[in-house]
Amino acid sequence: MQRTDQQGPSTVPKVDSTSGQDGARRELAGRVSVTLRPVASPTSLGLFGLAAATFTLSGLQLGWVPPSEGRHVALVLVGFAAVAQLIASLAAFTARDGTVATVMGVLALTWLSVGLVMLSSPPGSHSPALGLLLLFSGVAVGLTGVTALLTKLGAAVVFLTAGLRLLLTGVFHLTGSAGVKDTAGVVGLVLFLLAMYVAWASELEDATGRTVLPVGRKGKGLTAMHGSLLEQTKDLATEPGVRTRL
């Protein structure tokens, strides 16, 4: 049999159980424990990787670096930016920050793809296939930026700007427009400054245990920094990795 208890606007199904099952659940609850392991925040590493990628690529797009150096730029994207952001993504999953983990993973694989295409293409060329990937990445990163608005405004602005930067670069690869390329390069410089600021602010926050430079924390982001341990872990049983289904 099944009954439903009204809780606000939604109903939660519950299954009737015997006294023996209830006793087994209570005994199991007394044996189950969840261990939390402190880890260093990967946000600064990931954002420094993003800053390096966008600054180097902007240099190529704005003509500071000659087209013949395009393969060297590609090596920077693959060897530094992609690796730094991939490490940040994996560490963020361990730290239970799905938003940062997702956006860092998408960016890492995007820079890796951009670098590989640049390494295998003639200097100064553009690739419609890469353009399509960049359009996807721009939308994905932008949506993650909208999600980040719920917790950290500083990171959200960085991700939204990164999404715009990727979209513009994607349009350039689809059209070959020099004007779009220059615009993407300028937005890339703005992204560089934003990423450097939030990366440093996050690093100072971790080093001092308090907010030194504002990053716009709110909601769960504010609770994570200033809330009690009980406030931060009260929903732990329903988080991925603890609950039985993702």
Side-chain angles (χ1 to χ4, degrees), residues 9 82 93 109 140 178:
F93 278 118
L109 296 176

mmCIF file with all atom_site columns, all heavy atoms in Angstrom, residues 9 82 93 109 140 178:
data_model
loop_
_atom_site.group_PDB
_atom_site.id
_atom_site.type_symbol
_atom_site.label_atom_id
_atom_site.label_alt_id
_atom_site.label_comp_id
_atom_site.label_asym_id
_atom_site.label_entity_id
_atom_site.label_seq_id
_atom_site.pdbx_PDB_ins_code
_atom_site.Cartn_x
_atom_site.Cartn_y
_atom_site.Cartn_z
_atom_site.occupancy
_atom_site.B_iso_or_equiv
_atom_site.pdbx_formal_charge
_atom_site.auth_seq_id
_atom_site.auth_comp_id
_atom_site.auth_asym_id
_atom_site.auth_atom_id
_atom_site.pdbx_PDB_model_num
ATOM 1  N N   . PRO A 1 9   ? 3.049  22.552 -1.741  1.00 0.00 ? 9   PRO A N   1
ATOM 2  C CA  . PRO A 1 9   ? 2.401  22.377 -3.028  1.00 0.00 ? 9   PRO A CA  1
ATOM 3  C C   . PRO A 1 9   ? 2.607  21.006 -3.637  1.00 0.00 ? 9   PRO A C   1
ATOM 4  O O   . PRO A 1 9   ? 2.007  20.679 -4.647  1.00 0.00 ? 9   PRO A O   1
ATOM 5  C CB  . PRO A 1 9   ? 3.076  23.463 -3.881  1.00 0.00 ? 9   PRO A CB  1
ATOM 6  C CG  . PRO A 1 9   ? 4.415  23.629 -3.261  1.00 0.00 ? 9   PRO A CG  1
ATOM 7  C CD  . PRO A 1 9   ? 4.203  23.433 -1.791  1.00 0.00 ? 9   PRO A CD  1
ATOM 8  N N   . ALA A 1 82  ? 44.118 24.143 -20.321 1.00 0.00 ? 82  ALA A N   1
ATOM 9  C CA  . ALA A 1 82  ? 43.283 22.940 -20.258 1.00 0.00 ? 82  ALA A CA  1
ATOM 10 C C   . ALA A 1 82  ? 43.632 22.081 -19.046 1.00 0.00 ? 82  ALA A C   1
ATOM 11 O O   . ALA A 1 82  ? 42.746 21.574 -18.352 1.00 0.00 ? 82  ALA A O   1
ATOM 12 C CB  . ALA A 1 82  ? 43.431 22.133 -21.544 1.00 0.00 ? 82  ALA A CB  1
ATOM 13 N N   . PHE A 1 93  ? 34.637 18.630 -7.982  1.00 0.00 ? 93  PHE A N   1
ATOM 14 C CA  . PHE A 1 93  ? 33.716 17.527 -7.748  1.00 0.00 ? 93  PHE A CA  1
ATOM 15 C C   . PHE A 1 93  ? 33.945 16.933 -6.362  1.00 0.00 ? 93  PHE A C   1
ATOM 16 O O   . PHE A 1 93  ? 33.001 16.613 -5.631  1.00 0.00 ? 93  PHE A O   1
ATOM 17 C CB  . PHE A 1 93  ? 33.891 16.444 -8.815  1.00 0.00 ? 93  PHE A CB  1
ATOM 18 C CG  . PHE A 1 93  ? 33.158 16.734 -10.103 1.00 0.00 ? 93  PHE A CG  1
ATOM 19 C CD1 . PHE A 1 93  ? 33.856 16.880 -11.288 1.00 0.00 ? 93  PHE A CD1 1
ATOM 20 C CD2 . PHE A 1 93  ? 31.778 16.846 -10.120 1.00 0.00 ? 93  PHE A CD2 1
ATOM 21 C CE1 . PHE A 1 93  ? 33.189 17.144 -12.481 1.00 0.00 ? 93  PHE A CE1 1
ATOM 22 C CE2 . PHE A 1 93  ? 31.100 17.108 -11.305 1.00 0.00 ? 93  PHE A CE2 1
ATOM 23 C CZ  . PHE A 1 93  ? 31.804 17.257 -12.490 1.00 0.00 ? 93  PHE A CZ  1
ATOM 24 N N   . LEU A 1 109 ? 37.956 21.177 -21.609 1.00 0.00 ? 109 LEU A N   1
ATOM 25 C CA  . LEU A 1 109 ? 37.826 20.410 -22.855 1.00 0.00 ? 109 LEU A CA  1
ATOM 26 C C   . LEU A 1 109 ? 37.697 21.327 -24.064 1.00 0.00 ? 109 LEU A C   1
ATOM 27 O O   . LEU A 1 109 ? 38.140 20.986 -25.170 1.00 0.00 ? 109 LEU A O   1
ATOM 28 C CB  . LEU A 1 109 ? 36.628 19.475 -22.755 1.00 0.00 ? 109 LEU A CB  1
ATOM 29 C CG  . LEU A 1 109 ? 36.746 18.392 -21.671 1.00 0.00 ? 109 LEU A CG  1
ATOM 30 C CD1 . LEU A 1 109 ? 35.460 17.576 -21.572 1.00 0.00 ? 109 LEU A CD1 1
ATOM 31 C CD2 . LEU A 1 109 ? 37.930 17.469 -21.957 1.00 0.00 ? 109 LEU A CD2 1
ATOM 32 N N   . ALA A 1 140 ? 26.736 26.638 -22.955 1.00 0.00 ? 140 ALA A N   1
ATOM 33 C CA  . ALA A 1 140 ? 26.871 25.834 -21.737 1.00 0.00 ? 140 ALA A CA  1
ATOM 34 C C   . ALA A 1 140 ? 27.491 26.645 -20.602 1.00 0.00 ? 140 ALA A C   1
ATOM 35 O O   . ALA A 1 140 ? 27.011 26.610 -19.458 1.00 0.00 ? 140 ALA A O   1
ATOM 36 C CB  . ALA A 1 140 ? 27.724 24.594 -22.028 1.00 0.00 ? 140 ALA A CB  1
ATOM 37 N N   . ALA A 1 178 ? 36.628 39.642 -39.667 1.00 0.00 ? 178 ALA A N   1
ATOM 38 C CA  . ALA A 1 178 ? 37.715 40.259 -38.914 1.00 0.00 ? 178 ALA A CA  1
ATOM 39 C C   . ALA A 1 178 ? 37.168 41.115 -37.769 1.00 0.00 ? 178 ALA A C   1
ATOM 40 O O   . ALA A 1 178 ? 37.769 41.194 -36.695 1.00 0.00 ? 178 ALA A O   1
ATOM 41 C CB  . ALA A 1 178 ? 38.583 41.102 -39.833 1.00 0.00 ? 178 ALA A CB  1
#
